[in-house]
Amino acid sequence: MLHIVNGDATADKLKQGVVQGDILVWRELYTFGPVFRDMSERGNRAERAGYLERTLGIPREEYIRSSEEQEAALQEFHRYDEVILWFEHDLFDQTMLGCL
């Protein structure tokens, strides 16, 4: 079972409970900066990383590494019998859900 969650706080709560399976924390701020149909394309990711570094102070290389890691983990979803999405109704979460 794979649980995809909207942030570290949710992941921490699930880890403290009785939820079984793996947890993938989706860390993306789609409501900030440029977004693209293909977020993994090198030029798109670089442009977004630069924007997030300039405006939010997220180090460019950290953003790129984190994005690549979470996308690689997501590509393994087919290994699981079940995938559960943990998202709320707010804009932040709905943009994540739309991308996923």
Side-chain angles (χ1 to χ4, degrees):
M1 184 176 307
L2 174 63
H3 299 270
I4 303 177
V5 302
N6 64 345
D8 293 288
T10 303
D12 291 343
K13 288 177 184 175
L14 291 179
K15 290 175 186 175
Q16 293 172 9
V18 294
V19 171
Q20 296 180 2
D22 296 330
I23 297 173
L24 171 58
V25 178
W26 200 256
R27 296 179 183 97
E28 228 338 330
L29 304 164
Y30 295 117
T31 55
F32 293 92
V35 293
F36 305 93
R37 181 176 303 268
D38 183 358
M39 296 285 283
S40 64
E41 194 276 322
R42 182 176 294 227
N44 293 345
R45 190 180 313 276
E47 182 178 339
R48 183 161 171 73
Y51 176 88
L52 294 175
E53 184 174 61
R54 286 188 310 277
T55 60
L56 300 178
I58 298 170
R60 171 188 226 98
E61 293 305 317
E62 181 181 319
Y63 171 77
I64 291 171
R65 179 190 48 75
S66 176
S67 295
E68 290 172 349
E69 288 173 1
Q70 76 181 9
E71 289 168 8
L74 181 63
Q75 292 303 312
E76 297 298 314
F77 79 92
H78 62 282
R79 295 181 343 169
Y80 299 91
D81 292 331
E82 189 173 358
V83 177
I84 300 172
L85 304 173
W86 295 81
F87 293 90
E88 297 179 57
H89 63 279
D90 61 32
L91 179 61
F92 181 78
D93 284 13
Q94 290 300 300
T95 58
M96 284 187 210
L97 194 54
C99 177
L100 291 168

